[in-house]
Amino acid sequence: MLTTNPYDDDKLREECGIFAAWNADNAASFVALGLHALQHRGQEAAGITSLDQSGFHSHRAQGHVAGNFDRDEVIRALPGRTAIGHVRYSTTGSSALRNVQPLFAELADGGFAVAHNGNISNAMKLRRTLNRRGSIFQSTSDTEVVIHLVATSAHTQLLDRIVDALTQVEGAYALLMLTEQGLIACRDPLGIRPLVMGRIGDTVVFASETVALDVIGARYERDVGPGEMVIVNADGLRSFRPFASASPRPCIFEHVYFSRPDSVVDGISVYESRKNIGAVLAEEAGVEADIVVPVPDSGVPAAIGYAQASGIPFELGIIRSHYVGRTFIQPSQEVRHLGVKLKHNANSALIKGKRVVLIDDSIVRGTTSLKIVQMMRDAGAREVHMRIASPPTRHSCFYGVDTPERAKLLAAQMDVEAMAKYINADSLAFISIDGLYRALGDHRDAAAPQRCDACFTGDYPTRLTDLTDKKAEESGLKLAAVS
């Protein structure tokens, strides 16, 4: 089997997407539509849990929302006026069905379902402690730690138990929790992962991105604030902030790549921010050329901004086929090699003899850039200049993004000049970290950054307990081996 997009292994995998609807006729239908809009955030699996007077109902499956939740019999099996849903990539835990969310458990307070976008950076330490106390885990997902912390809390009221659980958690989370006492939405104190709230009539909805609100015709009301917990039930909507206040650090990569361009994140249009990034990139790293070519599809808005700022024509020099599935059976090695052109192909008549500026959102391992530069050269490009709409990705993410270990990040192993030689480009340049902040309308304060930019700077906003423990353990093993 071959992934028909030859560049899928060289992208940072979007974290996960979550969606909830409260007080909606056939809430599961709303959630399925919302998850469709968030499919780009997780394509390994999807799940929906609903609640009605008879109890909780769940359907979880591997694969896309389409094909799993577009059948009448599936939606009919998810009755109720409240439901939560999840699309996922596996950042912690394998892609096995037991890890597909929402996760559900019967607690002393009743049923408890949770959908999580993010990653708990001390999950392994918490898990070991819980195991010693007698907790029996049913999955390898970090999210299940939250369930066990709630279940074993000494507090008597459910909300107090949830708060008690989350005060023990490090890392990033946007959570949707479905209980018999109501629907609860919560965001980590730093606001690393996004979560928005909207309404359609008397229905309240929560989503990872505003585009999911648009799809169901809901009106965006506001972001769930960093450290805020919102409870919706028959008594109405309540909000409180149970955690210690902190300076927010929302993920900057939402604007670079993760979010859909038709979403609004942190009050900023993602499409406009990406165009601004391209304009700043042209200002910082302009080069004489004949055409500006985006790497489809994520490089398009930045390429438009670069072209407008530089005065160099924007052209679709790489054509993407939208009619190819994610996998394709290859009968031989020769045909498998040809398969890389099934999804992307050079527009040779346009490229031949031209000096090309290629715009992409990031370089991870470098395999994408190497193949695309070669594609341009094979199409007859006279020069190929690569411009990247983010700073060099030198550090792994531990907040819900599936990134390679640092040793496999090209920018962690080479300087920019060496990277340019590696991908066989005539020149290579990245937007600066200050330029990226400027494109988003901010001025970066290195002493107190306004966003999580750890993948570029290594400045992690929380403790990384599991990573630290792992390094200490590996160091101890090495010392033991030497002695």
Side-chain angles (χ1 to χ4, degrees), residues 25 31 45 136 162 167 287 295 372:
D25 291 332
V31 173
I136 300 173
I162 292 171
T167 54
V287 63
V295 177
I372 294 178

Side-chain angles (χ1 to χ4, degrees), residues 54-369:
S54 66
F56 292 82
H57 312 272
S58 293
H59 183 77
R60 301 180 298 159
Q62 294 176 320
H64 290 185
V65 179
N68 285 312
F69 291 95
D70 53 3
R71 303 194 307 274
D72 288 342
E73 63 271 21
V74 172
I75 297 300
R76 282 197 303 269
L78 295 167
R81 298 185 61 81
T82 304
I84 63 174
H86 188 273
V87 290
R88 87 183 290 260
Y89 273 125
S90 53
T91 54
T92 298
S94 70
S95 57
L97 186 60
R98 63 178 175 155
N99 290 324
V100 179
Q101 298 185 30
L103 299 182
F104 176 80
E106 289 283 356
L107 306 184
D109 307 276
F112 184 89
V114 59
H116 171 209
N117 173 24
N119 199 62
I120 298 171
S121 58
N122 64 335
M124 292 309 298
K125 183 173 184 177
L126 291 170
R127 190 183 184 107
R128 286 193 294 269
T129 300
L130 288 161
N131 277 332
R132 285 194 294 268
R133 291 180 188 168
S135 291
I136 300 173
F137 283 76
Q138 302 299 315
S139 75
T140 58
S141 169
D142 62 322
T143 308
E144 193 180 353
V145 166
V146 175
I147 296 177
H148 289 276
L149 289 174
V150 173
T152 58
S153 172
H155 291 270
T156 57
Q157 298 299 314
L158 178 60
L159 289 180
D160 293 333
R161 294 158 74 91
I162 292 171
V163 172
D164 180 42
L166 295 181
T167 54
Q168 301 176 61
V169 164
E170 298 170 7
Y173 56 83
L175 292 170
L176 294 173
M177 294 165 276
L178 183 56
T179 78
E180 293 166 13
Q181 299 181 28
L183 171 65
I184 303 165
C186 186
R187 199 169 170 205
D188 68 75
L190 295 177
I192 298 174
R193 300 270 66 90
L195 189 62
V196 299
M197 181 172 69
R199 292 181 188 267
I200 177 169
D202 294 328
T203 299
V204 179
V205 293
F206 296 94
S208 293
E209 293 183 36
T210 60
V211 66
L213 307 183
D214 298 338
V215 165
I216 67 164
R219 180 187 76 255
Y220 166 79
E221 191 159 289
R222 64 180 180 86
D223 285 17
V224 174
E228 182 182 15
M229 186 175 286
V230 180
I231 303 96
V232 191
N233 56 26
D235 297 327
L237 186 149
R238 289 192 294 136
S239 167
F240 67 105
R241 297 175 182 269
F243 310 111
S245 62
S247 298
R249 296 281 297 273
C251 174
I252 201 168
F253 221 94
E254 291 285 348
H255 289 279
V256 173
Y257 177 67
F258 294 140
S259 297
R260 268 180 47 163
D262 45 345
S263 281
V264 175
V265 175
D266 306 322
I268 305 171
S269 161
V270 174
Y271 178 76
E272 290 298 327
S273 66
R274 289 179 186 165
K275 282 181 60 181
N276 291 341
I277 289 170
V280 172
L281 187 55
E283 173 191 318
E284 292 185 338
V287 63
E288 290 188 6
D290 300 307
I291 56 175
V292 175
V293 173
V295 177
D297 285 324
S298 56
V300 172
I304 293 172
Y306 188 102
Q308 290 176 348
S310 65
I312 302 171
F314 169 95
E315 299 287 358
L316 295 178
I318 301 172
I319 305 301
R320 177 188 174 193
S321 170
H322 293 268
Y323 303 100
V324 180
R326 289 184 61 81
T327 57
F328 188 83
I329 297 173
Q330 304 293 340
S332 69
Q333 179 65 32
E334 292 180 357
V335 176
R336 187 157 49 245
H337 176 71
L338 295 175
V340 298
K341 292 189 176 182
L342 283 172
K343 204 160 192 175
H344 293 83
N345 191 40
N347 189 349
S348 300
L350 177 70
I351 297 298
K352 188 174 182 179
K354 299 289 198 318
R355 297 171 298 174
V356 177
V357 179
L358 281 170
I359 307 291
D360 203 358
D361 57 84
S362 61
I363 291 181
V364 182
R365 293 180 176 88
T367 53
T368 298
S369 303

Side-chain angles (χ1 to χ4, degrees), residues 18-41:
I18 57 177
F19 191 94
W22 179 85
N23 192 32
D25 291 332
N26 201 356
S29 294
F30 274 93
V31 173
L33 289 171
L35 294 180
H36 270 290
L38 299 173
Q39 185 71 86
H40 60 287
R41 299 186 72 91

